[in-house]
Amino acid sequence: MTTASNARFNAEALSWDSNPDVQLATTLAHKAYLSRLPPAATLATYNVLDLGCGTGLLSLALAPSVRSVTAVDAAEGMIAALESKLGASASSKSNRNVSAVCALLQDPDDARLATDPATATTKPGRRFDLVVSHLVLHHIPDLPALFRTMHGCLAPGGRVMVTDFEDFGPAARTFHPEARMAGVERHGIDRAQIRSVLEEAGFGDVKVETAFEMEKKVETEPGSGVMGPVVMFPFLICEGTRGG
């Protein structure tokens, strides 16, 4: 993720959760993930890595269903917001299986991933059963490098599952107002391109399909700042498995 992205997300961290579009997209993504994941008894054994976790909306939604969640983001403001949530829930003993890590993750053996949130023990070279990422891919300059890192973070048989809006043509650009284009590397993700990226990173059983569609207000004119028309944005879910 670029410096421009980090600056933008640090500035928006405190108000991030108040955006209804952010909340809705996360809710729909969470539903799409659960519909494709194993039954509850198996899922409860999963250690999950959430890359580009933001304020932890998806991480905290997944936490009750899995063994642990390691939530990683490069923006200090986003991680601070998540840590605040984790601190607030400490008295109720909820979310004890979630840890927040501020990092621009490039190495699967990064020592910051070594701590197990469920036990607070450290295991160098720790690997995950599932890597998730939501609304992050369109901010990443080098997608092949990101998916190689994801592949390296998985245990044999582990899965990657990521969601982002689709590049369905010129109207996809309207997903972001012109004033919020800092750090936007592409206007959605291309089905064929992302399939190739996953396969070249070493993933098998690759699937790229529509997960859900979401209505979103867009600017009446680019740069006007006036929101009016509604556009239906398709979201893709991209999956793959690391071989044994």
Side-chain angles (χ1 to χ4, degrees), residues 105-122:
L105 188 65
Q106 296 174 309
D107 179 5
D109 293 320
D110 192 310
R112 290 168 289 188
L113 300 182
T115 300
D116 181 344
T119 63
T121 58
T122 299

Side-chain angles (χ1 to χ4, degrees), residues 8-9 16 19 21-22 24-26 134-136 138-139 163-181 184 186-189 212-219 227 229-236:
R8 174 190 157 194
F9 290 124
W16 190 253
N19 185 329
D21 290 331
V22 169
L24 178 58
T26 304
H134 175 56
L135 276 174
V136 173
H138 67 274
H139 292 290
T163 42
D164 211 327
F165 71 101
E166 182 176 9
D167 179 358
F168 59 97
R173 180 184 176 90
T174 64
F175 188 87
H176 296 91
E178 292 296 316
R180 298 178 65 191
M181 288 293 182
V184 174
R186 58 188 61 79
H187 304 295
I189 53 176
F212 58 89
E213 295 183 325
M214 190 184 88
E215 291 184 341
K216 187 176 187 294
K217 284 187 176 182
V218 302
E219 288 183 304
M227 312 303 285
V230 173
V231 173
M232 183 71 79
F233 290 91
F235 276 66
L236 299 181

Side-chain angles (χ1 to χ4, degrees), residues 35 38 67 136 172:
S35 71
R67 181 183 178 276
V136 173

Side-chain angles (χ1 to χ4, degrees), residues 198-240:
L198 265 76
E199 291 173 345
E200 290 170 8
F203 287 101
D205 303 319
V206 174
K207 296 178 184 177
V208 179
E209 58 189 6
T210 302
F212 58 89
E213 295 183 325
M214 190 184 88
E215 291 184 341
K216 187 176 187 294
K217 284 187 176 182
V218 302
E219 288 183 304
T220 54
E221 295 290 340
S224 70
V226 178
M227 312 303 285
V230 173
V231 173
M232 183 71 79
F233 290 91
F235 276 66
L236 299 181
I237 188 163
C238 313
E239 303 178 61

